[in-house]
Amino acid sequence: MKSASKRKTTQRKIPYEKAQKKATKRRAPPAKSRAANAPPTPAAAGPLSIATGSSSLPSASPSPSSSSSARASSSLSSVTGSSSSSPHSPPSVSPLNNVWGFEVARDSYVEAMTRFYPNITPRHEYDVLQLGSHYQKGTTEEVFAWVDSMLAQEIGDLGSREAVFEATKKTLNTLVDCPTGRKPRPGRDRVDIRPIPDSEYSIRLWPGSRYASEYCMDFVDSETKQPVNSPFEFELWGAPNPEAPWLCAPAGRLLSLERSFGIPQHKIRPGEEKFVLRDGMTCLLKRRGKKDIQFTVPMRRRPLPQYDVHILDFPKTI
């Protein structure tokens, strides 16, 4: 008989988690702004991450112009015969997206590619796949030469150019979870902003991965609404839920995603700092000489699993 310490624990998946795991099985798109100076964290990246190889990500820049995005989308339509919506317009997806918060992988790849390479027009879908998940320094010719070398390797693995392109199309058309750490996109992502008392700044919250129940936070200028890195001396702590303090909850000081990677504060690119929280998490912002600030992260509703059971209707509160 195995001892209790050696027993292998088994976590049961409820029905909707099984469905989502199956839907996100294929390769997923990058988390484009997860950490401006570092690869994504294993704990928060979920199925979405940027494969940077030996290169670091480029400098953070404003969202690509609509002309750059339209150029990439137009190129895809003319070369491959498939349509790709601009990263600045809501993607056209199945109703599953509205239930689970999924996105079409193609849209995220195009958005990342136009940010990394604003002056490069893709020749085909394989360019979108590689350039939307890797950053290579060099001229357009040098970048395309690198892509061609990757294509040659995959042709060797799959047997033909057609097989590689077919696999690429399937990957780009896959529904994937929202990447945690990407800065909110105007007009597309939900954003909640609350001003910080006795301060010129506000706290901004926006959803990350629904499947991992992750939320993101940063600081913005209260007047311009532009993101800023830690604008004053503070400490951010996770705290027990005041409505149920006896329940187990993460408690401890929280660092930004960039600082968690060991990046010095002064080296974080302007406006790229972010904190990863969890749905329903209670946080405490402590400032020297000022009253503490408490807030609770919004909790997104999940479809309730249906079980063939009798339900006893006890009161929730008394």
Side-chain angles (χ1 to χ4, degrees), residues 220-233:
V220 298
D221 185 288
S222 295
E223 183 175 352
T224 66
K225 300 300 186 290
Q226 292 301 308
V228 296
N229 296 343
S230 299
F232 47 79
E233 186 177 355

Side-chain angles (χ1 to χ4, degrees), residues 28-316:
K32 290 164 282 306
S33 296
R34 186 159 192 83
N37 310 66
T41 57
L48 307 174
S49 61
I50 293 178
T52 57
S54 59
S55 303
S56 59
L57 296 182
S59 300
S61 60
S63 299
S65 66
S66 58
S67 60
S68 298
S69 303
R71 183 171 63 251
S73 300
S74 175
S75 175
L76 284 179
S77 298
S78 61
V79 173
T80 66
S82 61
S83 61
S84 176
S85 61
S86 166
H88 299 290
S89 61
S92 176
V93 297
S94 72
L96 184 64
N97 182 62
N98 298 327
V99 177
W100 302 110
F102 284 177
E103 301 178 0
V104 176
R106 181 188 305 275
D107 294 333
S108 292
Y109 277 105
V110 170
E111 186 176 352
M113 180 194 64
T114 53
R115 182 184 181 190
F116 295 166
Y117 308 95
N119 299 317
I120 292 182
T121 300
R123 303 164 298 178
H124 40 61
E125 289 184 322
Y126 189 78
D127 282 345
V128 175
L129 181 67
Q130 291 297 335
L131 299 182
S133 54
H134 298 78
Y135 176 67
Q136 289 292 126
K137 294 181 179 179
T139 64
T140 299
E141 292 73 18
E142 291 171 337
V143 170
F144 279 150
W146 173 81
V147 173
D148 291 340
S149 68
M150 298 296 293
L151 177 58
Q153 292 180 26
E154 293 207 33
I155 290 175
D157 293 336
L158 299 182
S160 69
R161 181 186 180 93
E162 292 72 21
V164 174
F165 277 25
E166 182 62 28
T168 297
K169 180 172 292 188
K170 289 181 179 179
T171 296
L172 294 178
N173 290 337
T174 300
L175 292 179
V176 295
D177 196 3
C178 173
T180 295
R182 177 178 61 194
K183 291 286 183 170
R185 300 162 296 178
R188 292 184 60 183
D189 298 321
R190 177 189 175 90
V191 172
D192 291 287
I193 300 177
R194 298 293 184 272
I196 300 173
D198 303 319
S199 171
E200 299 177 355
Y201 301 96
S202 299
I203 289 177
R204 179 172 69 169
L205 300 178
W206 71 95
S209 167
R210 176 184 289 269
Y211 187 63
S213 298
E214 291 173 337
Y215 237 82
C216 298
M217 174 199 132
D218 66 2
F219 295 96
V220 298
D221 185 288
S222 295
E223 183 175 352
T224 66
K225 300 300 186 290
Q226 292 301 308
V228 296
N229 296 343
S230 299
F232 47 79
E233 186 177 355
F234 71 94
E235 291 183 357
L236 182 65
W237 289 75
N241 187 330
E243 295 183 1
W246 55 88
L247 297 179
C248 179
R253 187 175 177 184
L254 305 174
L255 300 178
S256 69
L257 191 60
E258 291 74 17
R259 291 296 302 276
S260 297
F261 281 117
I263 300 172
Q265 186 67 36
H266 67 280
K267 289 188 177 181
I268 301 176
R269 294 188 174 98
E272 288 293 331
E273 186 177 30
K274 64 199 72 71
F275 297 77
V276 177
L277 311 176
R278 305 297 299 275
D279 285 32
M281 181 178 182
T282 298
C283 299
L284 199 65
L285 184 71
K286 303 180 70 68
R287 297 177 294 169
R288 182 174 298 178
K290 296 184 178 182
K291 185 182 294 186
D292 294 345
I293 297 172
Q294 178 181 293
F295 63 92
T296 298
V297 178
M299 187 160 54
R300 288 163 288 184
R301 294 183 180 275
R302 287 172 172 260
L304 295 177
Q306 300 296 321
Y307 297 113
D308 186 17
V309 296
H310 295 292
I311 297 178
L312 303 182
D313 187 20
F314 285 104
K316 293 184 178 181

